[in-house]
Amino acid sequence: MASVQNFALLVMLLALVTTAIDAISTEEDFVRCQNTVRKWAASSNDEVKEDKHTLQDLLFFLHVPRTGGRTYFHCFLRKLYASTHECPRSYDKLRFDPSKPDCRLMVTHDDYSMMSKLPKERTSVVTILRNPIDRVFSTYEFSVEVAARFLVHPNLTSATQLTGRIRPKNNGVSTLDIWPWKYLVPWMREDLFRRRDARNQRFYKDVKESYDSYNMEETVMPLHEFINNPVAHDIIHNGATFQVAGLTNNSCLSESHEVRHCVRKYPTLGTYVLDIAKKRLSDMLYVGLTEDHKESATMFANVVGTQILSQFEALNSNSGKTATSKTELSSSFPDSEHDTNHLQNSTDDQKESETSSSVDTANGTMTVGKLMDAYEVCISSLRKAQGRRRTASLKRISPANFSKDARHQVPDVIIQEIISLNRLDVELYKHAKEIFTQQRKHLAEKLVEPEEQKTILGSLYGTSTWRPFLLAIAVLLLLLLTFFIVKARKQTSKLKV
C-alpha cells in the first residue's frame, strides 16, 4: 500500500515539474518572440514625412486584394501614366527593376517591404482599405470563382497540365502568378475537383440540400471551413495589416516569417505590428475606402490626379516635347487575365480593358473633370465584364450563388468569428476611416479659396438667379439712353425753328 502511495506521489511530483518546465519554456519563448517583434518594430519606425501631401517622383500603389484597386489602376492610373512610365511587373519581385528609366508608377499586390527596393524620399504611397468582414467574404468568393473556371476540364490533372502548357505562351500576368491568388486559387481548385468527384461517386448521398450558398458542403468548401483553414490564417486574416506592415508571406524581409509566426502565436504582440501599420498609413499620400467608393474616387482625382497632371505638364514644358502612348494591353490584375484560352469571355474583357485605357496626359488634354467623366465610363465597362465572368463561373458550381442577399443568410456566429480573427484589420480600418475624414477636411480647406472665387464670380456673372436681374438693368439703361437721345433731338429741333 505504501509503495502505491509513493508511486502516486512521484507521479504528482513529475507532473508538477513538467508543468513548471513547460511554463518556463513558454515564458522564454514569449520573451524571445517579444524581442523579435520589438526589434523589427524599432527598425521599421520610419521618420515622419513632413511633405506627405506632395506627390513625389514615384507613385507606389499598394494594392490590398479585393478593395477595388483594379478599378483605380485601369480607370485612373492608366489614363494618367503612359506605359513607358510604368515600372516593370512587380508581382514577381525577382523580376522587379526599379532602376528603369522614367519609372514613375508601380502598382502591385506586394507588401510595404517593397519600399526597401525604392528611394523612400522620392516615393509616395497610396492604398485602399475595405471593411475586413466584406474583404474576407470577397476573398472567399473570388478564390472560388477563379477556381471554378477550371471545372470545364474532366479532372484536376487535365486542368493543371493544360494550364502549365498555356501560361508560358501568355504575355500577360496570370492570376496563378499573383500573390495571394497563386496560393488561394490552386487550393480552392483542388477542393472543387475533389468535391465534384465525390458527388459523382455518390459520397454525399445523405447530405441535405442547403439554401445557404456559403454552406454547400457538397459543392464548395463552406465559409466556416475556409476561414479556419491554416492557409486562411497565414494569408487572409489580418492581411491588410500585415501587407501595410510589410510582413506577408510574400515579403522581401528575411525576418518577416518569424515576426508573423510570433504574432500569430502570441496575439498580444500584434499591437506592435498594428502601430507600425497605422503610422505608415498616416504617412501615405492618399488612403481610400472601398465602402465610400464615389467619394474616394473623387478625392483620388483631386488629391492624386491633379498632382500627376501638374507633374507631366511641368515635364512637357521643360522638355518641349509631347508624346502620346498607348498603354500596355495586358492587365496587371487578375480579373482581366487570361489564365487559359478556355476561359469564357476573356477576349471580350481584354478588348473592353483596351478601349478604356488611353493616355491623354502627355499632350496636355486631360483634366480632372475629364478624368472623372472617363472614370465613370470605364468603371461601368469593367463591372459589366466582371459580371459576365462571375456569372459564367458560378454556373459551374450551381446552386451556390454568391451575392449580398446570400451573405445575409450567414449565421451571426460566423460573422463574429471573422471579426475576432481579423481584430488587427478591424482596428486598422477604423484608423483608415479617421484618415479619410482628415483627407476630406484637408481637401476642403485646399479648395475653399477657389470655390469662394468661383461662387463670387458665378454670383456676379453666371448664376441663373442674377441673370434676369442683370438683363432687366441692361434693358432699363437702354430705355433711358433712348429717352435722353430722343429728348435731345427734340430740343435741337426747337432751337433750329
Side-chain angles (χ1 to χ4, degrees), residues 1-14:
M1 185 67 179
S3 60
V4 173
Q5 291 179 345
N6 291 336
F7 179 76
L9 182 61
L10 180 61
V11 170
M12 291 177 61
L13 288 174
L14 287 174

Side-chain angles (χ1 to χ4, degrees), residues 336-393:
S336 60
E337 294 308 331
H338 312 322
D339 298 313
T340 57
N341 289 341
H342 66 269
L343 298 184
Q344 294 183 1
N345 303 321
S346 61
T347 303
D348 292 338
D349 298 340
Q350 184 80 346
K351 289 179 180 178
E352 291 193 25
S353 175
E354 293 172 19
T355 302
S356 64
S357 299
S358 60
V359 179
D360 295 320
T361 53
N363 56 24
T365 62
M366 179 62 78
T367 64
V368 173
K370 289 182 179 180
L371 181 63
M372 285 304 300
D373 291 341
Y375 174 82
E376 294 296 336
V377 175
C378 175
I379 191 174
S380 176
S381 174
L382 289 178
R383 283 175 175 171
K384 289 178 182 178
Q386 183 181 10
R388 288 197 301 269
R389 282 192 301 273
R390 186 181 180 89
T391 300
S393 292

Side-chain angles (χ1 to χ4, degrees), residues 145-198:
E145 176 191 334
V146 177
R149 298 174 189 173
F150 294 91
L151 291 176
V152 295
H153 294 283
N155 52 60
L156 179 60
T157 302
S158 173
T160 305
Q161 290 178 346
L162 182 61
T163 303
R165 289 197 300 268
I166 291 178
R167 283 169 64 188
K169 301 177 182 179
N170 189 356
N171 293 327
V173 180
S174 169
T175 306
L176 298 178
D177 294 326
I178 299 173
W179 184 91
W181 313 117
K182 63 182 180 181
Y183 299 108
L184 299 179
V185 172
W187 170 40
M188 296 306 295
R189 180 178 61 185
E190 181 178 351
D191 183 80
L192 285 177
F193 274 101
R194 182 178 63 80
R195 292 175 192 272
R196 188 177 73 173
D197 293 342

